[in-house]
Amino acid sequence: MRWTPGKRDWVFLMAVAAVVLFVSLLPTPRERNPMIPANEPHRTLTAETHCSQCHALQGNQPLSSRHPKRQDCFKCHRRADVL
Ligand code: HEC
Ligand code: HEC
């Protein structure tokens, strides 16, 4: 007997494809990126606009040239002291 995909098989395949697409569109998992250290300069910071004081290209702790050129730091970097 030869197996031919029925209606229920297609429904299942579409569901799998939808799940794969959904997962691939999730934002960068922050847990895998370097955390914001829980030290003195970082603990007092609350606004992303202040990060560039040190992490701009001209700052004392510049980002690498491969680093994403985005300003929403907290989307990808979790604070080590805040769970
Ligand atoms: C007063 C200067 C200063 C400011 C402002 C600052 N940083 Fe930093 N940052 C540093 C220094 C110096 C280091 C490296 C030494 C260390 O671990 O503390 C560092 C390290 C980091 C690291 C870890 C890098 C690694 O390799 O693990 C992350 C992530 C980071 N900063 C994110 C931020 C974010 C996000 C902000 C804004 C909320 C910010 N920093 C603001 C000075 C600063
Ligand atoms: C799209 C996600 C994303 C955003 C937004 C983001 N980062 Fe990062 N950041 C990363 C990743 C991933 C790494 C690790 C890069 C590597 O290992 O080469 C990293 C690394 C770092 C490091 C370690 C040094 C380096 O250059 O590798 C610092 C410091 C840092 N980020 C600060 C910041 C600051 C400040 C902002 C906001 C202006 C920011 N990040 C926004 C994803 C992001």
Side-chain angles (χ1 to χ4, degrees):
M1 261 265 275
R2 223 173 82 90
W3 176 80
T4 44
K7 192 180 175 189
R8 282 169 58 174
D9 299 308
W10 287 116
V11 169
F12 175 73
L13 284 174
M14 295 306 280
V16 169
V19 167
V20 169
L21 184 70
F22 173 73
V23 169
S24 69
L25 290 176
L26 286 175
T28 327
R30 289 200 298 172
E31 272 59 38
R32 282 183 10 221
N33 297 339
M35 271 195 220
I36 303 172
N39 55 14
E40 199 46 58
H42 292 98
R43 221 191 342 253
T44 48
L45 286 166
T46 46
E48 293 164 325
T49 46
H50 298 149
C51 310
S52 54
Q53 285 171 12
C54 301
H55 292 296
L57 281 177
Q58 313 88 327
N60 56 12
Q61 198 68 26
L63 303 173
S64 70
S65 53
R66 287 170 39 236
H67 190 272
K69 303 274 177 292
R70 276 170 50 177
Q71 295 309 307
D72 47 347
C73 318
F74 295 150
K75 279 260 165 56
C76 300
H77 295 288
R78 198 162 65 82
R79 297 171 63 105
D81 54 344
V82 180
L83 289 177

Coordinates of all heavy atoms in Angstrom, one line a residue:
M1 N 0.8 -1.2 0.0 CA 0.0 0.0 0.0 C 0.9 1.2 0.0 O 1.8 1.4 0.8 CB -0.9 0.0 1.3 CG -2.3 -0.5 0.9 SD -3.4 0.8 0.6 CE -4.0 1.2 2.3
R2 N 0.6 2.1 -0.9 CA 1.4 3.4 -1.0 C 0.7 4.4 -0.2 O -0.5 4.6 -0.2 CB 1.5 3.8 -2.5 CG 2.8 4.3 -2.9 CD 2.8 4.6 -4.3 NE 2.3 5.9 -4.6 CZ 3.0 7.1 -4.7 NH1 4.3 7.0 -4.5 NH2 2.5 8.2 -4.9
W3 N 1.6 5.2 0.6 CA 1.0 6.2 1.5 C 0.9 7.5 0.7 O 1.9 8.0 0.1 CB 1.9 6.4 2.7 CG 1.5 7.5 3.6 CD1 0.5 7.5 4.5 CD2 2.0 8.9 3.6 NE1 0.4 8.7 5.1 CE2 1.3 9.6 4.6 CE3 3.0 9.5 2.9 CZ2 1.6 10.9 4.9 CZ3 3.3 10.9 3.2 CH2 2.6 11.5 4.2
T4 N -0.3 8.1 0.8 CA -0.4 9.4 0.1 C -0.9 10.4 1.2 O -1.7 10.0 2.1 CB -1.5 9.4 -1.0 OG1 -2.6 8.6 -0.5 CG2 -0.9 8.8 -2.2
P5 N -0.3 11.6 1.3 CA -0.7 12.6 2.3 C -2.2 13.0 2.2 O -2.7 13.3 1.2 CB 0.2 13.8 2.1 CG 0.7 13.6 0.7 CD 0.7 12.2 0.3
G6 N -2.9 12.9 3.3 CA -4.3 13.2 3.4 C -4.4 14.6 3.9 O -3.4 15.3 4.2
K7 N -5.7 15.1 4.1 CA -5.9 16.4 4.6 C -5.3 16.7 6.0 O -4.7 17.7 6.2 CB -7.5 16.6 4.7 CG -7.9 18.1 4.9 CD -9.4 18.2 4.9 CE -9.8 19.6 5.2 NZ -11.2 19.7 5.5
R8 N -5.4 15.7 6.9 CA -4.8 15.9 8.2 C -3.3 16.0 8.2 O -2.8 16.7 9.0 CB -5.3 14.7 9.1 CG -6.7 14.8 9.6 CD -7.2 13.5 10.2 NE -6.3 13.1 11.3 CZ -6.6 12.1 12.1 NH1 -7.6 11.4 11.9 NH2 -5.7 11.8 13.1
D9 N -2.7 15.3 7.2 CA -1.2 15.4 7.1 C -0.8 16.8 6.7 O 0.2 17.4 7.2 CB -0.7 14.4 6.1 CG -1.0 13.0 6.5 OD1 -0.7 12.6 7.6 OD2 -1.6 12.3 5.7
W10 N -1.6 17.4 5.8 CA -1.3 18.8 5.4 C -1.5 19.8 6.5 O -0.7 20.7 6.7 CB -2.1 19.2 4.2 CG -1.6 18.5 2.9 CD1 -2.3 17.6 2.2 CD2 -0.4 18.6 2.3 NE1 -1.6 17.1 1.1 CE2 -0.4 17.8 1.2 CE3 0.8 19.4 2.6 CZ2 0.7 17.6 0.3 CZ3 1.9 19.2 1.7 CH2 1.8 18.4 0.6
V11 N -2.5 19.6 7.3 CA -2.8 20.5 8.5 C -1.6 20.4 9.4 O -1.1 21.4 9.9 CB -4.1 20.1 9.2 CG1 -4.2 20.8 10.5 CG2 -5.3 20.4 8.3
F12 N -1.1 19.1 9.6 CA 0.0 19.0 10.6 C 1.3 19.7 10.0 O 2.0 20.3 10.7 CB 0.3 17.5 10.7 CG 1.5 17.2 11.6 CD1 1.5 17.4 12.9 CD2 2.6 16.7 11.0 CE1 2.6 17.1 13.7 CE2 3.7 16.4 11.7 CZ 3.7 16.6 13.1
L13 N 1.5 19.5 8.7 CA 2.7 20.1 8.1 C 2.6 21.6 8.2 O 3.6 22.3 8.5 CB 2.9 19.7 6.7 CG 3.4 18.2 6.5 CD1 3.3 17.8 5.0 CD2 4.8 18.1 7.0
M14 N 1.5 22.2 7.9 CA 1.3 23.6 8.0 C 1.5 24.1 9.5 O 2.2 25.2 9.7 CB -0.1 24.1 7.6 CG -0.4 23.8 6.1 SD 0.9 24.5 5.0 CE 0.3 26.2 5.0
A15 N 1.1 23.3 10.4 CA 1.3 23.7 11.8 C 2.8 23.7 12.2 O 3.3 24.6 12.8 CB 0.5 22.8 12.8
V16 N 3.5 22.7 11.7 CA 4.9 22.6 12.0 C 5.6 23.8 11.3 O 6.5 24.5 11.9 CB 5.5 21.3 11.4 CG1 7.0 21.4 11.4 CG2 5.0 20.1 12.3
A17 N 5.3 24.1 10.1 CA 5.9 25.3 9.4 C 5.6 26.6 10.1 O 6.5 27.4 10.3 CB 5.3 25.4 8.0
A18 N 4.4 26.7 10.6 CA 4.0 28.0 11.4 C 4.9 28.1 12.6 O 5.3 29.2 12.9 CB 2.5 27.9 11.7
V19 N 5.1 27.0 13.3 CA 5.9 27.0 14.6 C 7.3 27.4 14.2 O 7.9 28.2 14.9 CB 5.8 25.7 15.3 CG1 6.8 25.6 16.4 CG2 4.4 25.5 15.9
V20 N 7.9 26.8 13.2 CA 9.3 27.1 12.8 C 9.4 28.6 12.5 O 10.3 29.2 12.9 CB 9.7 26.2 11.6 CG1 11.0 26.7 11.1 CG2 9.8 24.7 12.1
L21 N 8.4 29.1 11.7 CA 8.5 30.5 11.3 C 8.4 31.4 12.5 O 9.2 32.3 12.7 CB 7.3 30.8 10.3 CG 7.3 32.2 9.8 CD1 8.5 32.4 8.8 CD2 6.0 32.5 9.1
F22 N 7.5 31.1 13.4 CA 7.3 31.9 14.6 C 8.6 31.9 15.5 O 9.1 33.0 15.9 CB 6.2 31.3 15.5 CG 6.0 32.0 16.8 CD1 5.5 33.3 16.9 CD2 6.4 31.3 18.0 CE1 5.4 33.9 18.1 CE2 6.2 31.9 19.2 CZ 5.7 33.2 19.3
V23 N 9.2 30.8 15.7 CA 10.5 30.7 16.5 C 11.6 31.5 15.8 O 12.4 32.2 16.5 CB 10.9 29.2 16.7 CG1 12.3 29.1 17.3 CG2 9.9 28.6 17.6
S24 N 11.7 31.4 14.5 CA 12.8 32.1 13.8 C 12.6 33.6 13.8 O 13.6 34.3 13.6 CB 12.9 31.6 12.3 OG 11.7 32.1 11.6
L25 N 11.4 34.1 14.1 CA 11.2 35.5 14.1 C 11.3 36.1 15.6 O 11.2 37.3 15.7 CB 9.8 35.8 13.6 CG 9.6 35.6 12.1 CD1 8.2 35.9 11.7 CD2 10.5 36.5 11.3
L26 N 11.5 35.2 16.5 CA 11.7 35.7 17.9 C 12.9 36.6 18.0 O 13.9 36.5 17.3 CB 11.9 34.6 18.9 CG 10.6 33.7 19.2 CD1 11.0 32.6 20.1 CD2 9.6 34.6 19.9
P27 N 12.9 37.6 18.9 CA 14.1 38.5 19.0 C 15.3 37.7 19.6 O 15.1 36.6 20.1 CB 13.6 39.6 20.1 CG 12.5 38.9 20.8 CD 11.8 38.0 19.8
T28 N 16.4 38.4 19.4 CA 17.7 37.7 19.9 C 17.5 37.3 21.3 O 17.1 38.1 22.2 CB 18.8 38.8 19.8 OG1 18.6 39.6 18.7 CG2 20.2 38.1 19.7
P29 N 17.9 36.0 21.6 CA 17.8 35.6 23.0 C 18.8 36.4 23.9 O 20.0 36.2 23.7 CB 18.1 34.1 23.0 CG 18.4 33.8 21.6 CD 18.3 35.0 20.7
R30 N 18.3 37.2 24.8 CA 19.2 38.1 25.5 C 20.1 37.3 26.4 O 21.2 37.7 26.7 CB 18.3 39.0 26.4 CG 17.6 40.1 25.6 CD 17.2 41.2 26.5 NE 16.3 40.9 27.5 CZ 15.9 41.7 28.5 NH1 16.4 42.9 28.6 NH2 15.1 41.3 29.4
E31 N 19.7 36.1 26.8 CA 20.5 35.3 27.8 C 21.8 34.9 27.1 O 22.8 34.6 27.9 CB 19.7 34.1 28.2 CG 18.8 34.3 29.4 CD 17.8 35.4 29.2 OE1 17.2 35.5 28.1 OE2 17.5 36.2 30.1
R32 N 21.9 34.9 25.8 CA 23.2 34.5 25.2 C 24.1 35.6 25.0 O 25.3 35.4 24.6 CB 22.9 33.7 23.9 CG 22.4 32.3 24.2 CD 22.1 31.5 22.9 NE 22.6 32.0 21.7 CZ 21.9 32.0 20.6 NH1 20.7 31.4 20.6 NH2 22.3 32.5 19.5
N33 N 23.6 36.8 25.1 CA 24.5 38.0 24.8 C 25.2 38.4 26.1 O 24.7 38.0 27.2 CB 23.7 39.2 24.4 CG 23.0 38.9 23.0 OD1 23.4 38.0 22.3 ND2 21.9 39.6 22.7
P34 N 26.3 39.1 26.0 CA 27.0 39.5 27.3 C 26.1 40.4 28.1 O 25.3 41.2 27.6 CB 28.2 40.3 26.8 CG 28.1 40.4 25.3 CD 27.0 39.5 24.8
M35 N 26.1 40.1 29.4 CA 25.3 40.9 30.3 C 25.9 42.2 30.7 O 27.1 42.4 30.6 CB 25.1 40.1 31.6 CG 23.9 39.1 31.6 SD 23.6 38.6 33.3 CE 23.3 36.9 33.1
I36 N 25.0 43.1 31.1 CA 25.5 44.4 31.6 C 26.1 44.2 33.0 O 25.3 43.7 33.9 CB 24.4 45.5 31.6 CG1 23.8 45.6 30.2 CG2 24.9 46.8 32.1 CD1 22.5 46.5 30.2
P37 N 27.3 44.4 33.2 CA 27.9 44.1 34.5 C 27.2 44.9 35.6 O 26.7 46.0 35.4 CB 29.4 44.6 34.4 CG 29.6 44.8 32.9 CD 28.3 45.1 32.3
A38 N 27.2 44.3 36.8 CA 26.5 44.9 38.0 C 27.5 45.7 38.8 O 27.6 45.6 40.0 CB 25.9 43.8 38.8
N39 N 28.4 46.5 38.1 CA 29.4 47.3 38.8 C 28.9 48.7 38.9 O 27.8 49.1 38.4 CB 30.7 47.2 38.1 CG 30.7 47.6 36.7 OD1 29.7 48.1 36.2 ND2 31.7 47.2 35.9
E40 N 29.7 49.5 39.5 CA 29.3 50.9 39.9 C 28.9 51.7 38.7 O 27.8 52.3 38.7 CB 30.5 51.6 40.6 CG 30.0 52.8 41.4 CD 28.7 52.6 42.2 OE1 28.8 51.6 43.0 OE2 27.7 53.2 42.0
P41 N 29.6 51.8 37.5 CA 29.2 52.7 36.4 C 27.8 52.2 35.8 O 27.0 53.0 35.4 CB 30.3 52.6 35.4 CG 31.1 51.4 35.8 CD 31.0 51.3 37.3
H42 N 27.6 50.9 35.9 CA 26.4 50.4 35.2 C 25.2 50.4 36.1 O 24.0 50.5 35.7 CB 26.6 49.0 34.7 CG 27.6 48.9 33.5 ND1 28.9 48.6 33.7 CD2 27.4 49.2 32.2 CE1 29.5 48.7 32.5 NE2 28.7 49.0 31.6
R43 N 25.4 50.2 37.4 CA 24.3 50.1 38.3 C 23.4 51.3 38.4 O 22.2 51.3 38.5 CB 24.8 49.8 39.8 CG 23.9 48.7 40.4 CD 24.1 48.5 41.9 NE 25.4 49.0 42.4 CZ 26.4 48.3 42.8 NH1 26.3 47.0 42.6 NH2 27.5 48.8 43.3
T44 N 24.1 52.5 38.2 CA 23.3 53.8 38.3 C 22.6 54.1 37.0 O 21.9 55.1 37.0 CB 24.3 54.9 38.7 OG1 25.4 54.8 37.9 CG2 24.8 54.7 40.2
L45 N 22.9 53.4 36.0 CA 22.3 53.7 34.7 C 20.9 53.2 34.5 O 20.6 52.1 34.8 CB 23.2 53.2 33.5 CG 24.5 53.8 33.3 CD1 25.4 53.0 32.5 CD2 24.3 55.2 32.7
T46 N 20.0 54.1 34.0 CA 18.7 53.6 33.7 C 18.3 53.9 32.3 O 17.4 53.3 31.8 CB 17.7 54.3 34.7 OG1 18.0 55.7 34.7 CG2 17.8 53.8 36.1
A47 N 19.0 54.8 31.6 CA 18.6 55.2 30.3 C 19.6 54.7 29.3 O 20.8 54.9 29.5 CB 18.4 56.7 30.2
E48 N 19.1 54.2 28.2 CA 20.0 53.7 27.1 C 20.8 54.8 26.5 O 21.9 54.6 25.9 CB 19.2 53.0 26.0 CG 18.5 51.7 26.5 CD 17.4 51.2 25.6 OE1 16.7 52.1 25.1 OE2 17.2 50.0 25.5
T49 N 20.3 56.0 26.6 CA 21.0 57.2 26.0 C 22.3 57.4 26.6 O 23.2 58.1 26.1 CB 20.1 58.4 26.0 OG1 19.6 58.5 27.3 CG2 19.0 58.3 25.0
H50 N 22.5 57.0 27.9 CA 23.7 57.2 28.6 C 24.8 56.3 28.3 O 26.0 56.5 28.5 CB 23.5 57.2 30.1 CG 22.5 58.2 30.6 ND1 21.7 58.0 31.7 CD2 22.2 59.5 30.1 CE1 20.9 59.1 31.8 NE2 21.2 60.0 30.9
C51 N 24.5 55.1 27.6 CA 25.5 54.1 27.3 C 26.6 54.6 26.4 O 27.8 54.3 26.6 CB 24.8 52.9 26.7 SG 23.4 52.3 27.5
S52 N 26.2 55.5 25.5 CA 27.2 56.0 24.5 C 28.3 56.8 25.1 O 29.3 57.1 24.4 CB 26.4 56.8 23.4 OG 25.7 57.8 24.0
Q53 N 28.1 57.3 26.3 CA 29.1 58.1 27.0 C 30.4 57.3 27.0 O 31.5 57.9 26.9 CB 28.7 58.5 28.4 CG 27.7 59.6 28.4 CD 27.2 59.9 29.8 OE1 27.7 59.3 30.8 NE2 26.1 60.6 29.9
C54 N 30.3 56.0 27.2 CA 31.5 55.2 27.3 C 31.6 54.2 26.1 O 32.7 53.9 25.7 CB 31.6 54.4 28.6 SG 31.5 55.4 30.1
H55 N 30.5 53.8 25.6 CA 30.5 52.7 24.6 C 30.4 53.3 23.2 O 30.2 52.5 22.2 CB 29.4 51.7 24.8 CG 29.6 50.9 26.1 ND1 30.7 50.1 26.2 CD2 29.0 50.9 27.3 CE1 30.7 49.5 27.5 NE2 29.6 50.0 28.1
A56 N 30.6 54.6 23.0 CA 30.6 55.1 21.6 C 32.0 54.8 21.1 O 33.0 54.5 21.8 CB 30.4 56.6 21.6
L57 N 32.2 55.0 19.7 CA 33.5 54.8 19.1 C 34.6 55.6 19.7 O 35.7 55.2 19.8 CB 33.4 55.0 17.6 CG 32.7 53.9 16.8 CD1 32.6 54.3 15.3 CD2 33.5 52.6 16.9
Q58 N 34.2 56.9 20.2 CA 35.2 57.7 20.8 C 35.3 57.6 22.3 O 36.1 58.2 22.9 CB 34.8 59.2 20.5 CG 34.5 59.5 19.0 CD 33.0 59.3 18.7 OE1 32.4 58.4 19.4 NE2 32.4 60.1 17.8
G59 N 34.5 56.7 22.9 CA 34.5 56.5 24.3 C 35.7 55.7 24.8 O 36.5 55.3 24.0
N60 N 35.7 55.5 26.1 CA 36.9 54.7 26.6 C 36.6 53.2 26.6 O 37.5 52.4 26.9 CB 37.2 55.1 28.1 CG 36.0 55.0 29.0 OD1 35.0 54.4 28.6 ND2 36.1 55.6 30.2
Q61 N 35.4 52.8 26.2 CA 35.1 51.3 26.1 C 34.3 51.1 24.8 O 33.1 50.8 24.8 CB 34.2 50.9 27.3 CG 34.2 49.4 27.6 CD 35.5 48.8 28.0 OE1 36.4 49.5 28.5 NE2 35.8 47.6 27.7
P62 N 34.9 51.4 23.6 CA 34.2 51.4 22.4 C 33.7 50.0 22.0 O 34.3 49.0 22.4 CB 35.2 51.8 21.4 CG 36.6 51.6 22.0 CD 36.4 51.7 23.5
L63 N 32.6 49.9 21.3 CA 32.0 48.7 20.8 C 32.9 48.2 19.6 O 33.5 49.0 18.9 CB 30.6 48.8 20.4 CG 29.7 49.4 21.5 CD1 28.3 49.7 20.9 CD2 29.5 48.4 22.6
S64 N 32.9 46.9 19.4 CA 33.6 46.4 18.2 C 32.9 46.8 16.9 O 31.7 47.1 17.0 CB 33.7 44.9 18.3 OG 32.5 44.3 18.1
S65 N 33.6 46.8 15.8 CA 33.0 47.2 14.6 C 31.9 46.2 14.1 O 31.1 46.5 13.3 CB 34.1 47.3 13.5 OG 34.8 46.1 13.4
R66 N 31.9 45.0 14.7 CA 30.9 44.0 14.4 C 29.6 44.2 15.2 O 28.6 43.5 14.9 CB 31.4 42.6 14.6 CG 32.5 42.1 13.6 CD 33.1 40.8 13.9 NE 32.2 39.9 14.5 CZ 32.4 39.3 15.7 NH1 33.4 39.7 16.5 NH2 31.6 38.5 16.2
H67 N 29.7 45.0 16.2 CA 28.5 45.2 17.0 C 27.3 45.8 16.3 O 27.5 46.7 15.5 CB 28.9 46.0 18.2 CG 27.8 46.0 19.3 ND1 26.8 46.9 19.3 CD2 27.6 45.2 20.4 CE1 26.0 46.7 20.3 NE2 26.5 45.7 21.0
P68 N 26.1 45.3 16.5 CA 24.9 45.9 15.9 C 24.8 47.4 16.1 O 25.0 47.9 17.3 CB 23.7 45.2 16.5 CG 24.3 44.1 17.4 CD 25.8 44.2 17.4
K69 N 24.5 48.2 15.1 CA 24.4 49.6 15.2 C 23.0 50.0 15.6 O 22.2 50.5 14.9 CB 24.7 50.3 13.9 CG 26.0 49.9 13.3 CD 27.1 50.9 13.9 CE 28.5 50.5 13.4 NZ 28.9 49.1 13.9
R70 N 22.6 49.6 16.9 CA 21.3 49.9 17.4 C 21.4 50.6 18.7 O 22.4 50.4 19.5 CB 20.5 48.6 17.5 CG 19.9 48.3 16.1 CD 19.3 46.9 16.1 NE 18.4 46.7 17.3 CZ 17.7 45.5 17.5 NH1 17.8 44.6 16.6 NH2 16.9 45.4 18.5
Q71 N 20.4 51.4 19.1 CA 20.4 52.1 20.3 C 19.6 51.5 21.4 O 19.6 51.9 22.6 CB 20.0 53.5 20.1 CG 20.9 54.3 19.2 CD 22.4 54.2 19.7 OE1 22.7 54.5 20.8 NE2 23.3 53.8 18.8
D72 N 18.8 50.4 21.1 CA 18.0 49.8 22.1 C 18.7 48.7 22.8 O 18.4 47.5 22.7 CB 16.7 49.3 21.5 CG 16.9 48.5 20.2 OD1 18.0 48.5 19.7 OD2 16.0 47.8 19.7
C73 N 19.7 49.1 23.6 CA 20.7 48.2 24.3 C 20.0 47.2 25.1 O 20.4 46.0 25.1 CB 21.6 49.0 25.2 SG 22.2 50.6 24.5
F74 N 18.9 47.6 25.8 CA 18.3 46.7 26.8 C 17.5 45.6 26.1 O 17.2 44.6 26.7 CB 17.4 47.5 27.7 CG 18.1 48.4 28.6 CD1 17.5 49.6 29.0 CD2 19.4 48.2 29.0 CE1 18.2 50.5 29.8 CE2 20.1 49.1 29.8 CZ 19.5 50.3 30.2
K75 N 17.3 45.7 24.8 CA 16.6 44.6 24.1 C 17.5 43.4 24.0 O 17.0 42.3 24.0 CB 16.3 45.1 22.6 CG 15.0 45.9 22.6 CD 13.8 45.1 22.1 CE 12.5 45.8 22.3 NZ 12.5 47.1 21.7
C76 N 18.8 43.6 24.0 CA 19.7 42.5 23.8 C 20.6 42.2 25.0 O 21.1 41.2 25.2 CB 20.6 42.7 22.6 SG 19.7 42.9 21.0
H77 N 20.8 43.2 25.9 CA 21.6 43.1 27.0 C 20.8 43.2 28.3 O 20.2 44.2 28.6 CB 22.7 44.2 27.0 CG 23.7 44.0 25.9 ND1 24.6 43.0 25.8 CD2 23.8 44.8 24.8 CE1 25.3 43.2 24.7 NE2 24.8 44.3 24.0
R78 N 20.9 42.1 29.1 CA 20.2 42.1 30.4 C 21.1 42.6 31.4 O 22.3 42.3 31.4 CB 19.8 40.6 30.7 CG 18.7 40.5 31.7 CD 18.0 39.1 31.6 NE 19.0 38.1 31.9 CZ 19.3 37.7 33.2 NH1 18.7 38.3 34.2 NH2 20.1 36.7 33.4
R79 N 20.6 43.2 32.4 CA 21.4 43.7 33.6 C 21.7 42.5 34.5 O 20.8 41.7 34.8 CB 20.7 44.8 34.3 CG 20.4 46.0 33.5 CD 19.5 47.0 34.3 NE 20.2 47.4 35.5 CZ 20.7 48.6 35.7 NH1 20.6 49.5 34.7 NH2 21.3 48.9 36.8
A80 N 22.9 42.3 34.8 CA 23.3 41.2 35.6 C 22.7 41.2 37.0 O 22.5 40.1 37.6 CB 24.8 41.1 35.8
D81 N 22.3 42.4 37.5 CA 21.8 42.5 38.9 C 20.3 42.5 38.9 O 19.7 42.4 40.0 CB 22.3 43.7 39.6 CG 22.1 45.0 38.8 OD1 21.8 44.9 37.6 OD2 22.2 46.1 39.3
V82 N 19.6 42.5 37.7 CA 18.1 42.5 37.7 C 17.7 41.2 37.0 O 18.1 40.9 35.9 CB 17.6 43.7 36.9 CG1 16.1 43.7 36.9 CG2 18.1 45.0 37.5
L83 N 16.9 40.4 37.7 CA 16.5 39.2 37.1 C 15.3 39.3 36.2 O 14.5 40.3 36.2 CB 16.1 38.2 38.3 CG 17.2 37.7 39.1 CD1 16.7 36.8 40.2 CD2 18.2 37.0 38.2
Ligands
HEC1 C1 30.9 55.2 32.8 C2 31.2 54.4 31.6 C3 30.2 53.4 31.1 C4 28.9 53.6 30.8 C5 28.1 54.9 30.9 C6 28.4 52.3 30.4 N1 29.4 51.4 30.4 FE1 29.2 49.4 29.8 N2 31.1 49.1 30.3 C7 32.0 50.1 30.8 C8 33.3 49.4 31.0 C9 34.6 50.2 31.5 C10 33.2 48.0 30.7 C11 34.2 46.9 30.7 C12 34.6 46.6 32.2 C13 33.5 46.0 33.0 O1 33.2 44.8 32.8 O2 32.9 46.8 33.8 C14 31.8 47.8 30.3 C15 31.2 46.6 29.9 C16 29.9 46.5 29.4 C17 29.4 45.2 29.0 C18 30.0 43.8 29.1 C19 30.9 43.6 27.9 C20 31.5 42.2 28.0 O3 32.4 41.9 27.2 O4 31.0 41.4 28.8 C21 28.1 45.5 28.5 C22 27.1 44.5 27.9 C23 27.9 46.9 28.7 N3 29.0 47.5 29.2 C24 26.7 47.5 28.4 C25 26.4 48.8 28.7 C26 25.1 49.4 28.5 C27 23.9 48.7 27.9 C28 25.2 50.7 29.0 C29 24.0 51.7 29.1 C30 22.9 51.3 30.1 C31 26.5 50.9 29.5 N4 27.2 49.8 29.3 C32 27.0 52.1 30.0 C33 31.8 51.4 30.9 C34 30.5 52.0 30.8
HEC2 C1 20.6 43.4 18.3 C2 21.1 43.1 19.7 C3 22.0 44.1 20.4 C4 21.8 45.4 20.6 C5 20.6 46.3 20.3 C6 22.9 45.9 21.4 N1 23.8 44.9 21.5 FE1 25.7 45.0 22.5 N2 26.1 43.0 21.9 C7 25.3 42.2 21.2 C8 26.0 41.0 21.0 C9 25.3 39.7 20.2 C10 27.3 41.1 21.5 C11 28.4 40.1 21.5 C12 29.2 40.4 20.2 C13 30.4 39.5 20.0 O1 30.6 38.6 20.7 O2 31.1 39.9 19.1 C14 27.3 42.4 22.1 C15 28.4 42.9 22.8 C16 28.5 44.1 23.5 C17 29.6 44.6 24.3 C18 30.9 43.9 24.5 C19 32.0 44.5 23.5 C20 31.8 44.2 22.1 O3 31.7 45.2 21.3 O4 31.6 43.0 21.7 C21 29.2 45.8 24.8 C22 30.0 46.7 25.7 C23 27.9 46.1 24.3 N3 27.4 45.1 23.5 C24 27.1 47.3 24.6 C25 26.0 47.7 23.9 C26 25.4 49.0 24.1 C27 25.9 50.1 24.9 C28 24.2 49.0 23.3 C29 23.3 50.1 23.0 C30 23.9 51.3 22.4 C31 24.1 47.6 22.7 N4 25.2 46.9 23.1 C32 23.1 47.2 21.9 C33 24.0 42.5 20.8 C34 23.3 43.8 20.9

